[in-house]
Amino acid sequence: TSKHFLSCPTIPLHDGTPHPAIGFGTYKVGFIPASASSAVVAPPSSGNEPPQRTAEECVRDALAVGYRFLECAEFYGNEAEVGKAIKGSGVEREELFLCSKVWTTTIEKGEEAIRARLEKTLVDLGTDYVDLYLIHWPVPNHHVSAYKTLEKLQTEGKIRNIGISNYAVEDYQELTENGCAKPTVNQIEINPFLYRKNTINFFQKEGVLLQSYRSLRDGKAMDHPTLATIGASHKKSPAQILGRWCVQHGFIYVPKSVKMGRMVENAEVFGFELSKEEMEELDGLTTPEAFQAFEALYRKCVNRDTTKDGSMEGVKMDITID
């Protein structure tokens, strides 16, 4: 195990379960879903590009480097490949923290579909339980009943912890108003360019741990001058500054890379600290346009791929966006 991970801290969930502070994201690793946000705007492949590395190869490398928390999902379309990598790695199941998410289409179909999907995830990953299972998006009129199905699956021992993803404050309140047990995590996009402070403060006060996706902003901000300046003063890369900002705020950091060297680099975030001034400077990088873009994406995605795709039916039009 890499020395960078031997000291990888854990953060307790509200029931005391230790959650690794850093994980490996598997979205778009070896497979890009048809309705991925970028797939919509990407030009069609000419067929001449070299094949991307498979998810099995990438996850095998991540496990070899020392990652133990794997962030998976039905939507990612690669859980069988992830399972092959786990099987070939020799890493004991008890050492792993496996998280998966149930997609909008399955949520809409209801309990039997959710049960069948979880079974498929367990078979694909080669395990009889997941450490964490999340509702991927708060599908209007369906997410509360889906959450209640996850509560049943938890009592059956197939899910150790239940969480949510992409939930606004108001979606969470809908769960609690309907008598649902408190989720352990909310996985949302968090980085200095989308730092929704009021939302984050709300969930932290509730004792709901925040998992950050797009922690590295899909590599789209690596040339930002603030990252360069702060990086230079610590002799760290822009990615390491983004990762350090994340863990220093107490968010679970989920970087993703298909290159082994980057997997190592991304994880080197525990041996230095950003100053209060540097943290504040990074906190201030979110623009009003970023909040507006987030709100538009939320409205589009809660019904994405369902029979209500493209409509605003049931969509909350007045959520806490910041």
Side-chain angles (χ1 to χ4, degrees), residues 21-33:
I22 178 171
F24 182 72
T26 64
Y27 182 38
K28 294 185 186 172
V29 173
F31 177 84
I32 298 184

Side-chain angles (χ1 to χ4, degrees), residues 221-238 241 274 278 281-282 285:
M222 295 307 176
D223 54 357
H224 194 282
T226 302
L227 294 178
T229 306
I230 296 175
S233 71
H234 291 275
K235 298 190 170 55
K236 296 289 178 185
S237 69
I241 298 305
L274 299 173
E278 288 168 335
E281 194 177 350
L282 291 165
L285 293 177

Side-chain angles (χ1 to χ4, degrees), residues 163-185:
I164 52 180
S165 182
N166 299 301
Y167 272 55
V169 167
E170 293 73 14
D171 297 312
Y172 171 85
Q173 288 168 331
E174 193 184 349
L175 281 184
T176 56
E177 283 158 14
N178 280 281
C180 295
K182 186 185 287 191
T184 53
V185 307

Side-chain angles (χ1 to χ4, degrees), residues 89-138:
S89 71
V91 176
E92 296 292 328
R93 175 65 184 92
E94 299 68 48
E95 275 189 53
L96 294 170
F97 190 95
L98 300 179
C99 170
S100 186
K101 305 195 284 255
V102 61
W103 186 238
T104 56
T105 46
T106 305
I107 290 165
E108 183 183 36
K109 286 174 191 155
E111 179 164 349
E112 289 314 308
I114 293 167
R115 285 180 171 276
R117 178 59 231 183
L118 177 61
E119 286 304 326
K120 175 140 178 51
T121 285
L122 295 176
V123 169
D124 285 353
L125 293 176
T127 184
D128 53 5
Y129 72 95
V130 285
D131 296 275
L132 185 60
Y133 202 51
L134 314 181
I135 301 279
H136 205 140
W137 283 94

Side-chain angles (χ1 to χ4, degrees), residues 56-242:
E56 183 183 357
E57 291 169 317
C58 296
V59 174
R60 189 178 64 214
D61 282 355
L63 291 168
V65 166
Y67 288 87
R68 291 296 178 263
F69 159 36
L70 299 178
E71 190 270 324
C72 311
E74 169 185 356
F75 181 63
Y76 300 172
N78 57 9
E79 288 185 331
E81 290 272 312
V82 174
K84 284 184 206 161
I86 292 169
K87 190 175 179 187
S89 71
V91 176
E92 296 292 328
R93 175 65 184 92
E94 299 68 48
E95 275 189 53
L96 294 170
F97 190 95
L98 300 179
C99 170
S100 186
K101 305 195 284 255
V102 61
W103 186 238
T104 56
T105 46
T106 305
I107 290 165
E108 183 183 36
K109 286 174 191 155
E111 179 164 349
E112 289 314 308
I114 293 167
R115 285 180 171 276
R117 178 59 231 183
L118 177 61
E119 286 304 326
K120 175 140 178 51
T121 285
L122 295 176
V123 169
D124 285 353
L125 293 176
T127 184
D128 53 5
Y129 72 95
V130 285
D131 296 275
L132 185 60
Y133 202 51
L134 314 181
I135 301 279
H136 205 140
W137 283 94
V139 180
N141 305 315
H142 297 284
H143 76 96
V144 174
S145 57
Y147 192 94
K148 290 186 172 177
T149 298
L150 300 198
E151 289 184 309
K152 290 181 195 170
L153 289 161
Q154 185 181 31
T155 62
E156 292 162 28
K158 294 181 177 179
I159 300 170
R160 293 280 167 94
N161 291 281
I162 304 171
I164 52 180
S165 182
N166 299 301
Y167 272 55
V169 167
E170 293 73 14
D171 297 312
Y172 171 85
Q173 288 168 331
E174 193 184 349
L175 281 184
T176 56
E177 283 158 14
N178 280 281
C180 295
K182 186 185 287 191
T184 53
V185 307
N186 186 13
Q187 184 189 105
I188 58 174
E189 177 178 344
I190 310 177
N191 53 61
F193 305 93
L194 187 63
Y195 182 40
R196 296 165 54 218
K197 205 167 176 181
N198 285 326
T199 294
I200 286 163
N201 288 346
F202 172 86
F203 283 104
Q204 287 182 325
K205 281 197 184 100
E206 287 287 308
V208 176
L209 203 55
L210 292 158
Q211 282 182 350
S212 152
Y213 73 77
R214 290 191 86 227
S215 314
L216 300 179
R217 214 157 171 264
D218 299 343
K220 293 187 175 80
M222 295 307 176
D223 54 357
H224 194 282
T226 302
L227 294 178
T229 306
I230 296 175
S233 71
H234 291 275
K235 298 190 170 55
K236 296 289 178 185
S237 69
Q240 289 166 330
I241 298 305
L242 287 172

Side-chain angles (χ1 to χ4, degrees), residues 210-284:
L210 292 158
Q211 282 182 350
S212 152
Y213 73 77
R214 290 191 86 227
S215 314
L216 300 179
R217 214 157 171 264
D218 299 343
K220 293 187 175 80
M222 295 307 176
D223 54 357
H224 194 282
T226 302
L227 294 178
T229 306
I230 296 175
S233 71
H234 291 275
K235 298 190 170 55
K236 296 289 178 185
S237 69
Q240 289 166 330
I241 298 305
L242 287 172
R244 180 65 211 175
W245 176 86
C246 202
V247 299
Q248 205 162 311
H249 266 307
F251 313 137
I252 301 290
Y253 166 48
V254 190
K256 180 194 83 198
S257 178
V258 295
K259 299 184 176 121
M260 199 166 185
R262 286 272 166 80
M263 293 175 194
V264 174
E265 177 193 320
N266 291 342
E268 293 175 334
V269 294
F270 299 112
F272 70 104
E273 202 166 320
L274 299 173
S275 70
K276 182 169 178 280
E277 293 71 29
E278 288 168 335
M279 288 295 283
E280 284 170 359
E281 194 177 350
L282 291 165
D283 290 353

